[in-house]
């Protein structure tokens, strides 16, 4: 039937490409793509009956229109006969196809990354896209069977079963270390996993969010090809979905972009309470990729088999790196507006795993505002009243405390011109027994003025510190004390 459809399309539109996976076939014809589901039962997916294929086509359309409405057009019946099938038309349906708008061959972000074309700005846009998507999703119903911690542990154990079967003694030893870490980390985080499910952080996500399923179209990222065949794979903690993306970036050799994506997502959502789950979710995702590659290798030819085995090994090596303990520390920035604190923090967080808390963003969040909102507040007025500033620093300290206790280094990006606030954070580090650092940024007066004026004119940064704020800061600025130096 597929061959007959391809032949018919060639007669109508010219060249037709065919992409085949273990569960689907996609026909690429001119500006359209037609995706058909194979009548297979692989245990995790059952497309063996016509009604099931129809229903899953409709589900694929519903789910993917949330993120890619410009790509997903309709569900078409395949009519006619197996020897003379037609896409659409009248008569009894013999199958169904998802009709999609075709995107350019070089639009995939996986290809852009491999070619060195994926920019930091594109990663920022992707993180914002995912954050908006997650925040707009309804929470899991309390009586739903999905998203339970014990099911997540069962899935994690399944990874080890699949990877251990037939593995050599050395690989089995490596897997035992990872399996033991997984069991211990699950016990440490079980209460948090269960609490987040109750609090609504388990939502109907994309389910397969890696760079091979994201394209760049008309200046924005468009995730597509989400999971339609198993609700359990898409109803998950939003941090678990983010971990799929960050793991994939790291697996492809760009941990710096993975850290940047996580930072921008956290700034957008404020979901710092979910950060303690990052290690568990990223290790789980790395081993899922290793398992999938191992299964792919089993039925592949020599060249494809070696490529799949290399991918399996890379996933295993990434998981081993991810379980290495971090050395937490508390760092704060210090400096006048325009001195480069946020710029330096942006660079630093890409070089080393840490969580950045930005005062300009958290101040707006406490007020119920978006980070880029302009309040028009004068010095010590409105959003910048002394009591709101004090509340912002209390919030930063409390959040930093939770993250440090979870084992993460923390960088608090704020001006910290008041020595009392610096002492508060120094005491916090001392109580928790972690090193304390002050990252003091300076710049010439004319450079400070040029930067704040340019930033204020641009009007998209979370900071609202313009020339007047800079003048007020300089009037009361005192250098760091000898002990702080």
């Amino acid at each position: 039937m597929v061959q007959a459809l391809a032949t018919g399309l060639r007669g109508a539109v010219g060249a037709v490409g065919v992409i085949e996976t273990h569960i689907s076939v996609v026909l690429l014809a001119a500006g359209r793509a037609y995706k058909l589901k194979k009548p297979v039962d692989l245990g995790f997916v059952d497309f063996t009956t016509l009604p099931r294929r129809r229903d899953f086509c409709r589900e694929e359309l519903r789910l993917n229109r949330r993120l890619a409405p410009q790509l997903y057009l309709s569900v078409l019946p395949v009519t006619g006969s197996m020897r003379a099938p037609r896409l659409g038309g009248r008569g009894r349906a013999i199958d169904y196809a998802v009709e999609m708008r075709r995107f350019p061959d070089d639009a995939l972000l996986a290809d852009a990354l491999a070619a060195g074309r994926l920019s930091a700005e594109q990663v920022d846009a992707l993180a914002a896209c995912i954050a908006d998507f997650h925040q707009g999703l309804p929470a899991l119903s309390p009586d739903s069977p999905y998203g339970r911690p014990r099911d997540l542990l069962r899935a994690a154990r399944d990874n080890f079963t699949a990877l251990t079967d037939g593995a050599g003694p050395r690989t089995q030893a490596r897997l035992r270390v990872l399996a033991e870490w997984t069991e211990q980390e699950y016990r440490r985080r079980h209460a948090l996993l269960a609490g987040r499910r109750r609090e609504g952080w388990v939502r109907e996500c994309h389910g397969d969010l890696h760079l091979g399923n994201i394209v760049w179209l008309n200046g924005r990222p468009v995730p597509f090809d989400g999971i339609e065949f198993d609700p359990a794979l898409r109803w998950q903690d939003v941090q678990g979905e983010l971990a799929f993306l960050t793991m994939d970036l790291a697996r492809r050799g760009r941990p710096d972009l993975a850290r940047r994506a996580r930072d921008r997502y956290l700034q957008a959502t404020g979901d710092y309470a979910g950060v303690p789950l990052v290690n568990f979710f990223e290790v789980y995702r790395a081993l899922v990729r290793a398992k999938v590659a191992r299964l792919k290798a089993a039925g592949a030819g020599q060249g494809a088999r070696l490529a799949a085995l290399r991918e399996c090994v890379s996933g295993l090596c990434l998981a081993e790196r991810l379980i290495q303990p971090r050395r937490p520390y508390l760092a704060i920035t210090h400096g006048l507006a325009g001195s480069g604190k946020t710029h330096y923090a942006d660079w630093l967080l890409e070089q080393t795993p840490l969580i950045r808390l930005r005062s300009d963003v958290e101040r707006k969040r406490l007020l119920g505002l978006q980070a880029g909102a302009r309040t028009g507040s004068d010095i010590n007025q409105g959003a910048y009243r002394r009591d709101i500033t004090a509340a912002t620093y209390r919030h930063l300290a409390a959040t930093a405390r939770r993250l440090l206790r979870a084992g993460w280094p923390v960088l608090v990006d704020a001006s910290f011109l008041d020595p009392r606030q610096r002492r508060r954070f120094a005491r916090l580090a001392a109580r928790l027994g972690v090193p304390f650092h002050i990252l003091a940024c300076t710049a010439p007066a004319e450079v400070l003025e040029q930067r704040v004026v340019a930033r204020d004119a641009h009007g998209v940064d979370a900071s609202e510190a313009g020339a007047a704020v800079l003048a007020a800061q300089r009037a009361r600025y005192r250098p760091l004390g000898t002990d702080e130096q």
Side-chain angles (χ1 to χ4, degrees):
M1 185 191 72
V2 169
Q3 290 174 350
L5 282 173
T7 299
L9 286 169
R10 287 189 193 101
V13 300
V16 173
V18 179
I19 299 175
E20 187 171 353
T21 72
H22 54 301
I23 63 173
S24 65
V25 177
V26 182
L27 300 175
L28 303 175
R32 293 288 187 267
Y34 303 96
K35 182 178 179 182
L36 297 100
K37 302 186 184 302
K38 290 183 176 180
V40 295
D41 183 353
L42 301 179
F44 66 91
V45 58
D46 182 359
F47 292 156
T48 52
T49 70
L50 180 63
R52 291 182 70 85
R53 295 197 295 279
R54 176 200 61 204
D55 293 346
F56 280 119
C57 281
R58 291 172 177 172
E59 188 73 339
E60 181 172 0
L61 186 73
R62 176 187 73 85
L63 292 165
N64 285 288
R65 274 185 167 173
R66 299 176 302 170
L67 282 162
Q70 67 274 59
L71 294 182
Y72 285 80
L73 303 176
S74 68
V75 172
L76 293 175
V78 179
T79 59
S81 67
M82 287 292 180
R83 291 182 178 274
R86 297 186 306 274
L87 284 165
R90 297 183 178 275
R92 182 180 65 87
I94 60 173
D95 220 315
Y96 291 88
V98 177
E99 180 189 21
M100 302 172 62
R101 182 172 283 112
R102 191 174 173 184
F103 51 77
D105 292 340
D106 62 351
L108 282 175
L109 292 194
D111 295 339
L113 181 64
R117 292 186 285 105
L118 185 63
S119 69
E121 291 73 22
Q122 287 176 304
V123 170
D124 292 352
L126 177 56
C129 168
I130 298 166
D132 288 345
F133 174 57
H134 285 171
Q135 290 179 300
L137 295 172
L140 182 78
S141 170
D143 58 354
S144 171
Y146 303 122
R148 296 172 299 193
R150 66 175 180 269
D151 295 331
L152 181 60
L153 179 61
R154 185 181 303 115
R157 287 170 172 168
D158 288 345
N159 289 338
F160 293 108
T161 301
L163 288 166
T164 302
D165 183 31
R170 183 179 177 185
T171 300
Q172 289 189 14
R174 295 168 68 186
L175 288 168
R176 279 195 296 272
V177 173
L178 288 166
E180 182 178 351
W181 180 92
T182 296
E183 297 286 342
Q184 292 176 350
E185 188 70 6
Y186 174 81
R187 288 193 293 270
R188 289 180 65 197
R189 307 304 179 193
H190 177 270
L192 178 57
L193 285 164
R196 285 176 63 83
R197 184 178 185 273
R198 289 192 303 271
E199 294 162 8
W201 292 101
V202 173
R203 300 171 187 175
E204 191 176 28
C205 297
H206 178 279
D208 201 18
L209 194 66
H210 57 82
L211 296 181
N213 283 341
I214 308 168
V215 291
W216 189 263
L217 295 176
N218 300 319
R220 56 185 292 268
V222 180
F224 71 102
D225 203 21
I227 296 291
E228 86 284 1
F229 55 81
D230 187 352
L233 295 178
R234 61 179 183 267
W235 281 99
Q236 58 179 309
D237 192 301
V238 294
Q239 286 286 347
E241 172 133 296
L242 177 66
F244 201 160
L245 174 66
T246 55
M247 178 282 301
D248 195 45
L249 284 162
R251 182 180 68 87
R252 295 173 187 269
R254 294 303 302 268
D256 56 328
L257 295 181
R259 295 166 188 147
R260 185 180 182 108
R262 182 186 303 119
D263 173 75
R264 299 315 193 265
Y265 178 92
L266 292 173
Q267 284 193 55
T269 64
D271 185 21
Y272 295 98
V275 168
L277 300 174
V278 165
N279 288 357
F280 182 85
F281 281 134
E282 287 193 337
V283 169
Y284 166 68
R285 290 297 189 183
L287 293 173
V288 167
R289 297 303 297 174
K291 177 182 71 174
V292 170
R294 171 77 184 276
L295 295 174
K296 189 188 303 181
Q302 183 67 15
R305 180 175 179 273
L306 290 175
L309 289 175
R310 282 195 294 269
E311 184 179 348
C312 177
V313 170
S314 74
L316 184 61
C317 292
L318 175 59
E320 289 174 324
R321 292 196 298 273
L322 290 169
I323 69 171
Q324 299 306 311
R326 300 180 186 87
R327 298 180 62 184
Y329 58 82
L330 176 58
I332 65 172
T333 60
H334 167 71
L336 299 170
S339 59
K341 301 182 298 297
T342 296
H343 181 79
Y344 179 65
D346 282 344
W347 175 82
L348 186 63
L349 67 87
E350 292 184 14
Q351 309 308 312
T352 181
L354 60 83
I355 301 298
R356 184 254 297 270
L357 303 173
R358 192 176 173 195
S359 64
D360 291 314
V361 173
E362 297 309 305
R363 179 189 301 271
K364 303 281 182 65
R365 199 186 318 280
L366 289 175
L367 294 171
L369 301 173
Q370 294 294 319
R374 317 317 286 171
T375 66
S377 302
D378 291 330
I379 300 166
N380 296 328
Q381 301 294 320
Y384 294 87
R385 295 197 318 259
R386 287 186 172 86
D387 60 323
I388 293 177
T389 296
T392 299
Y393 276 90
R394 286 195 301 271
H395 168 70
L396 292 169
T399 306
R401 182 186 302 111
R402 290 193 294 270
L403 293 168
L404 289 164
R405 285 177 171 167
W408 279 86
V410 177
L411 172 61
V412 184
D413 177 3
S415 60
F416 279 102
L417 297 179
D418 186 341
R420 292 171 298 180
Q421 294 294 1
R422 300 197 295 272
R423 286 195 294 269
R424 164 189 277 188
F425 281 75
R427 289 193 299 269
L428 171 60
R431 286 196 301 271
L432 296 178
V434 299
F436 179 63
H437 306 288
I438 301 175
L439 310 179
C441 298
T442 61
E446 63 274 15
V447 174
L448 295 174
E449 292 168 3
Q450 291 168 4
R451 287 176 176 170
V452 297
V453 169
R455 183 175 63 195
D456 198 33
H458 201 215
V460 295
D461 191 83
S463 174
E464 294 185 70
V469 170
L470 173 60
Q473 289 181 347
R474 291 172 68 179
R476 70 179 198 278
Y477 177 79
R478 297 292 182 273
L480 296 176
T482 304
D483 57 331
E484 293 176 309
Q485 295 282 1

